[in-house]
Amino acid sequence: MFSVAPAIATSRLILRPVASTDFAASAAMWSDPHVVRYITGKPSTPQESWIRLLRYAGLWPLLGFGGWVLEERESGEFAGEVGFADYHRTIEPSLDGIPELGWVLPVNMHGKGYATEAVRACVAWADANLPAASATACIISPENLPSIRVAEKCGFTLAHHTTYNGQPIQLFMRQRSVALI
């Protein structure tokens, strides 16, 4: 079991553990109304952003999975956040015990294919390292067409139309890919 996020390198990104020095960039991203319009619908306060960073790191020792910060390999610039969680959401069907993948990128990183690259790295990591998980999930607003495309390119399929916090949500599932030895 992992107690801290392992670093993962892709061709253009580094997925790395959260650091306190990520706070300013994370808070700026989460306070952007354009970034959060399909996620929470309202910009986050600095306190909410700080708590989110703590949650990303804190999930690792409890569950063996959690969140990463995305960093551009070439520039070292903050490129977003991605990771798995079990939020114990009040949602039907229940996602309890199913690692739920989420991703968010600042506007200056949109349109570069970084979300797809990061999500592919996460699902590959999950396939190799989450022995108890037979599936992973993500929930996406039906209006968030870019994230729906990312999910589909990374092997997630639409499983349910449901609601969360009174809003329509699409629940996507991805069955774990297990290599036979």
Side-chain angles (χ1 to χ4, degrees), residues 28-98:
M29 176 181 68
W30 283 101
S31 70
D32 184 335
H34 183 76
V35 169
V36 300
R37 73 185 182 278
Y38 299 126
I39 303 171
T40 62
K42 69 175 190 68
S44 294
T45 65
Q47 179 183 2
E48 290 166 333
S49 294
W50 178 247
I51 290 169
R52 190 176 288 109
L53 282 178
L54 296 174
R55 182 173 55 223
Y56 291 155
L59 286 166
W60 285 98
L62 294 176
L63 301 177
F65 56 83
W68 288 270
V69 163
L70 303 177
E71 185 177 290
E72 277 188 317
R73 284 180 76 156
E74 191 171 298
S75 70
E77 187 177 350
F78 176 89
E81 300 163 0
V82 64
F84 292 101
D86 184 351
Y87 293 117
H88 294 271
R89 295 181 192 274
T90 304
I91 191 170
E92 289 298 326
S94 173
L95 294 176
D96 287 355
I98 299 172

Side-chain angles (χ1 to χ4, degrees), residues 90-93 139 142 158 160-164 167-171:
T90 304
I91 191 170
E92 289 298 326
I139 62 170
L158 179 61
H160 298 280
H161 293 273
T162 187
T163 58
Y164 179 67
Q167 298 298 314
I169 287 292
Q170 293 181 333
L171 170 60

Side-chain angles (χ1 to χ4, degrees), residues 89-176:
R89 295 181 192 274
T90 304
I91 191 170
E92 289 298 326
S94 173
L95 294 176
D96 287 355
I98 299 172
E100 179 185 334
L101 183 57
W103 55 92
V104 59
L105 283 70
V107 172
N108 67 319
M109 297 295 169
H110 289 187
K112 297 181 178 186
Y114 286 168
T116 301
E117 190 171 325
V119 170
R120 281 186 176 140
C122 286
V123 297
W125 178 88
D127 287 350
N129 294 287
L130 294 181
S134 62
T136 53
C138 58
I139 62 170
I140 304 173
S141 165
E143 298 174 357
N144 191 347
L145 299 180
S147 280
I148 290 170
R149 282 193 297 274
V150 168
E152 290 173 341
K153 284 191 270 186
C154 296
F156 288 89
T157 57
L158 179 61
H160 298 280
H161 293 273
T162 187
T163 58
Y164 179 67
N165 287 339
Q167 298 298 314
I169 287 292
Q170 293 181 333
L171 170 60
F172 289 79
M173 300 293 293
R174 179 185 177 278
Q175 292 304 310
R176 180 175 176 209

